[in-house]
Amino acid sequence: MAYAKFSRRHRLKYLVYALVGLFLIYEAFQLSSHEFSIEDIERQILSQVGPTSPSKGHNNQIPLSIPETPLKKQDGSIAKPKLSAEEVAQELKDNEAKEEDEIPEKKVPSRPLTPEELASVRDLTVFFNDMEKYSIKAPSIKDKYKTEKARELFAGADDFLFSKEYLENVLDISPDTFNVLKDSHTRYLQEHIPKLVDDLGLSTFGSILESDPEWKDYHGSAGYVLVGGERYSWLSYLVIRQIRATGAKLPIELFIPSELEYEKDFCETVLPKYNAKCVVFNTDFARDLSKRFNIGGYQFKMLALLSSKFENILYLDSDNFPTKNVEYIFDSEIYKKRKLILWPDAWARTTNPKFFEIAGVKVLENKLRYSDYDRKQAELADKPLKKLSEYTFEDSWFHDFEGTLPNPTSETGMLIINKTTHLKTLLLCLYYNVFGPDFYYPLLTQGSAGEGDKETFIAAASVLKKPWFQTPKQFRWTGYFKENDEGFTSKALGHHDPIQSLKAKDDKEEVDIIFMHLSYPKFYPSWLVDNHDLVYEKSGNHIRMYADINDNVGYDFDLRVLQLFTQGLCKDYYDLDGIPIDGTDGPKRSVDYMGKYLRYISTDETKNKERCEKVFLPHLKWLKDTTKFPKSKSVIV
């Protein structure tokens, strides 16, 4: 009996061995001469790169339909997964067209961090420690022009030459100041960034380390970031409402610059209803940075990115409204490849050539592209365009040459970035912003339109040779033709879908407008009324400011925005029972009226009551009565 049990047991074991052996032979045969399944590919990928973490939102996992290292048959051809012919063709086409995603090595400190160093990572002070070593001890170059600031011309201007000679003779930069700038920039790149990345083991622009248990939740996370505080909390509230009206689901962070601007009821009662929360910057730290570096204004964007708990961020200015759910961009091939998406401004680039010398970037006299100026000159001379190789710095726009930042400039009222892939980009961008107002903002723009932080992102990525993508299609001036033939007036900038823009045959092809930057006017009650943006001062006729984009976005954008605006601002929009007087189903005074939540609204309640009675409520009624779109698409509450 014992022998029988032993025999059966061993027979079973040998049978298992035999089956495993046959399976391995079968697998080898499959991989060498037959097609393999998606599961085969997944197993091969995992054997090469190790397991990936479960998906959390939008992450950087390798697509499993085609491996990073293609499996080959014995004849050298690529083995194909069991997909349809069309799917296989598309997969191969996509993979041939894209750069393979790099799998970053896990960042670990070169040594154990001291308790003080770890604390400085957690409270974000590590990013500013010792930055005084790189202070630019020279007189400010802001507004220090040899004659006048750089010309404000559109990127398509054809009647002015932005040559190297012109651009390097706008600002008056002494040799001593140039040397101080170059020394500071070089040392920051060679000392400060390596200290943070290599010595301390930072791998993302924030307070979390890869060794932290929370990293698995952080890695791949995505969300929106806006800057609030005082009146900006009101504007951001409207944008947050619009984000949710589009059906978007990702979480939202509202950066509050200090505890002094924190409004408890708004942050803890209102925002959670929209899957949003306040991220409050430490007041003492804010004061310290203000004292040390005079940080404020434009630099808050960098602090908001630094403080965010998202790895992938869609940053929005507080007056920038998505027109639809734009979260698909996180999953797009262009974002997976570049991890930084920007949008264009209207203006020609006017960066001083000395910036590239300061940053250690070699600009070659190798022209890469034609400008409208080149075409105009050829037309005037009645000659064909010269070969690109025949142009020189003297007869071309400087920013058409290899090594420069290309035209047009950037408009960073929205940007999408991965804080891990672009850690070094953001560290250099932080440097440009800390020392921006007196030095790098002037260097990058030279007093031309929109001087500020907007060029620091593309500049930092370019200096470090990190990938970036700027939407090729120019924005759309959005506005209306005024009555009495007084011409067109622009009221907003409509920015286009980057993916559709890339595929468009030419600049004339219609592309979805996905962001409306309502920069003029901003939706401050006093601005709208005092400047007569909604109702003509003389005739009393109502104005639909954004009518020319309604067909593109598919609803009445004016009506949508003013509905949200009126719900939040006008107490008398609601009857004694707290229900909208126009019968709109959904809003309630106790929930949607912001007078009880935001100081900006409550402190001007009496004046707002008058504005609502005379302008906002009648205008909302007019918009609803005259809309050409179904109310269900325009009014989302």
Side-chain angles (χ1 to χ4, degrees), residues 229-230 256-263 280-283 287 599:
E230 299 299 337
I256 306 296
S258 78
E259 287 100 330
L260 300 176
E261 297 177 85
Y262 177 76
E263 298 183 74
V280 188
F281 201 66
N282 182 277
T283 300
R287 286 172 176 161
R599 288 188 294 268

Side-chain angles (χ1 to χ4, degrees), residues 81-339:
K82 292 178 179 178
L83 302 172
S84 69
E86 292 78 14
E87 288 172 322
V88 171
Q90 186 60 47
E91 287 279 7
L92 292 175
K93 181 180 179 181
D94 291 344
N95 277 270
E96 289 170 357
K98 74 178 184 180
E99 302 168 2
E100 296 292 352
D101 291 338
E102 293 183 2
I103 305 171
E105 295 181 2
K106 188 176 181 67
K107 277 287 180 186
V108 294
S110 62
R111 54 177 174 73
L113 299 186
T114 67
E116 292 77 14
E117 288 171 333
L118 185 58
S120 72
V121 173
R122 301 304 186 214
D123 64 14
L124 302 175
T125 56
V126 68
F127 292 91
F128 299 91
N129 288 346
D130 299 326
M131 194 171 274
E132 281 87 354
K133 290 181 180 179
Y134 312 101
S135 293
I136 301 163
K137 296 177 173 61
S140 171
I141 61 174
K142 180 176 176 58
D143 298 331
K144 296 296 188 293
Y145 308 119
K146 291 183 177 179
T147 55
E148 59 183 8
K149 66 182 182 179
R151 296 278 295 272
E152 292 185 7
L153 296 176
F154 293 135
D158 61 7
D159 57 354
F160 188 80
L161 178 60
F162 282 111
S163 67
K164 181 176 185 290
E165 181 182 7
Y166 170 79
L167 292 174
E168 64 188 2
N169 282 288
V170 175
L171 281 171
D172 189 2
I173 305 173
S174 71
D176 287 344
T177 297
F178 171 84
N179 290 333
V180 170
L181 281 161
K182 185 171 180 61
D183 175 70
S184 169
H185 194 289
T186 301
R187 288 187 296 107
Y188 185 84
L189 285 182
Q190 295 179 354
E191 299 172 4
H192 192 67
I193 291 181
K195 177 184 176 182
L196 295 178
V197 177
D198 301 325
D199 186 25
L200 299 182
L202 298 189
S203 58
T204 198
F205 193 63
S207 61
I208 189 170
L209 300 169
E210 282 193 69
S211 56
D212 294 333
E214 298 82 9
W215 179 266
K216 67 181 188 303
D217 295 316
Y218 171 78
H219 186 51
S221 61
Y224 302 84
V225 171
L226 296 91
V227 173
E230 299 299 337
R231 60 180 180 169
Y232 297 107
S233 289
W234 162 246
L235 294 182
S236 294
Y237 166 73
L238 297 177
V239 175
I240 290 169
R241 291 295 310 274
Q242 169 65 2
I243 289 171
R244 294 300 176 232
T246 67
K249 301 298 184 184
L250 287 175
I252 301 169
E253 293 176 346
L254 181 63
F255 175 80
I256 306 296
S258 78
E259 287 100 330
L260 300 176
E261 297 177 85
Y262 177 76
E263 298 183 74
K264 180 180 174 64
D265 289 341
F266 177 69
C267 290
E268 298 181 17
T269 301
V270 175
L271 292 188
K273 297 172 183 175
Y274 305 105
N275 192 16
K277 66 177 183 179
C278 291
V279 175
V280 188
F281 201 66
N282 182 277
T283 300
D284 293 335
F285 191 19
R287 286 172 176 161
D288 178 59
L289 292 178
S290 178
K291 181 179 179 180
R292 290 163 62 192
F293 306 113
N294 196 30
I295 284 182
Y298 287 120
Q299 293 118 322
F300 285 159
K301 184 184 299 184
M302 292 304 304
L303 297 183
L305 297 176
L306 181 61
S307 302
S308 175
K309 300 302 182 183
F310 306 133
E311 182 181 35
N312 297 279
I313 291 175
L314 170 49
Y315 170 84
L316 289 171
D317 275 356
S318 57
D319 56 356
N320 200 343
F321 290 64
T323 65
K324 68 176 184 177
N325 184 348
V326 297
E327 293 171 6
Y328 62 90
I329 298 176
F330 285 113
D331 292 318
S332 67
E333 285 300 319
I334 194 64
Y335 181 68
K336 289 177 182 178
K337 287 169 59 178
R338 308 296 176 86
K339 301 296 177 68

Side-chain angles (χ1 to χ4, degrees), residues 219-472:
H219 186 51
S221 61
Y224 302 84
V225 171
L226 296 91
V227 173
E230 299 299 337
R231 60 180 180 169
Y232 297 107
S233 289
W234 162 246
L235 294 182
S236 294
Y237 166 73
L238 297 177
V239 175
I240 290 169
R241 291 295 310 274
Q242 169 65 2
I243 289 171
R244 294 300 176 232
T246 67
K249 301 298 184 184
L250 287 175
I252 301 169
E253 293 176 346
L254 181 63
F255 175 80
I256 306 296
S258 78
E259 287 100 330
L260 300 176
E261 297 177 85
Y262 177 76
E263 298 183 74
K264 180 180 174 64
D265 289 341
F266 177 69
C267 290
E268 298 181 17
T269 301
V270 175
L271 292 188
K273 297 172 183 175
Y274 305 105
N275 192 16
K277 66 177 183 179
C278 291
V279 175
V280 188
F281 201 66
N282 182 277
T283 300
D284 293 335
F285 191 19
R287 286 172 176 161
D288 178 59
L289 292 178
S290 178
K291 181 179 179 180
R292 290 163 62 192
F293 306 113
N294 196 30
I295 284 182
Y298 287 120
Q299 293 118 322
F300 285 159
K301 184 184 299 184
M302 292 304 304
L303 297 183
L305 297 176
L306 181 61
S307 302
S308 175
K309 300 302 182 183
F310 306 133
E311 182 181 35
N312 297 279
I313 291 175
L314 170 49
Y315 170 84
L316 289 171
D317 275 356
S318 57
D319 56 356
N320 200 343
F321 290 64
T323 65
K324 68 176 184 177
N325 184 348
V326 297
E327 293 171 6
Y328 62 90
I329 298 176
F330 285 113
D331 292 318
S332 67
E333 285 300 319
I334 194 64
Y335 181 68
K336 289 177 182 178
K337 287 169 59 178
R338 308 296 176 86
K339 301 296 177 68
L340 172 58
I341 295 183
L342 303 163
W343 276 263
D345 206 340
W347 309 101
R349 193 171 295 282
T350 54
T351 299
N352 192 301
K354 291 185 183 298
F355 166 76
F356 301 98
E357 298 178 47
I358 290 164
V361 175
K362 190 171 184 179
V363 176
L364 302 178
E365 200 166 17
N366 176 32
K367 188 174 172 69
L368 301 179
R369 64 192 71 87
Y370 293 109
S371 66
D372 289 341
Y373 177 83
D374 299 327
R375 297 182 182 90
K376 181 66 172 292
Q377 294 304 304
E379 180 183 331
L380 291 173
D382 196 22
K383 294 181 179 179
L385 282 165
K386 296 187 293 185
K387 295 179 180 179
L388 288 171
S389 59
E390 295 177 3
Y391 287 89
T392 68
F393 285 144
E394 285 73 29
D395 63 4
S396 292
W397 279 30
F398 176 68
H399 288 96
D400 287 334
F401 287 94
E402 183 178 350
T404 62
L405 302 174
N407 278 296
T409 52
S410 301
E411 205 278 84
T412 53
M414 64 263 128
L415 63 90
I416 306 180
I417 192 166
N418 179 290
K419 297 203 301 177
T420 302
T421 301
H422 279 285
L423 168 61
K424 291 183 179 180
T425 300
L426 289 167
L427 289 173
L428 183 54
C429 194
L430 181 65
Y431 168 82
Y432 289 153
N433 279 276
V434 166
F435 304 115
D438 287 323
F439 297 101
Y440 285 100
Y441 297 168
L443 273 170
L444 290 167
T445 306
Q446 303 203 95
S448 190
E451 182 170 292
D453 71 325
K454 69 191 190 78
E455 305 307 326
T456 59
F457 293 90
I458 193 172
S462 297
V463 167
L464 293 169
K465 295 181 171 55
K466 297 295 183 181
W468 53 268
F469 176 80
Q470 182 157 291
T471 301

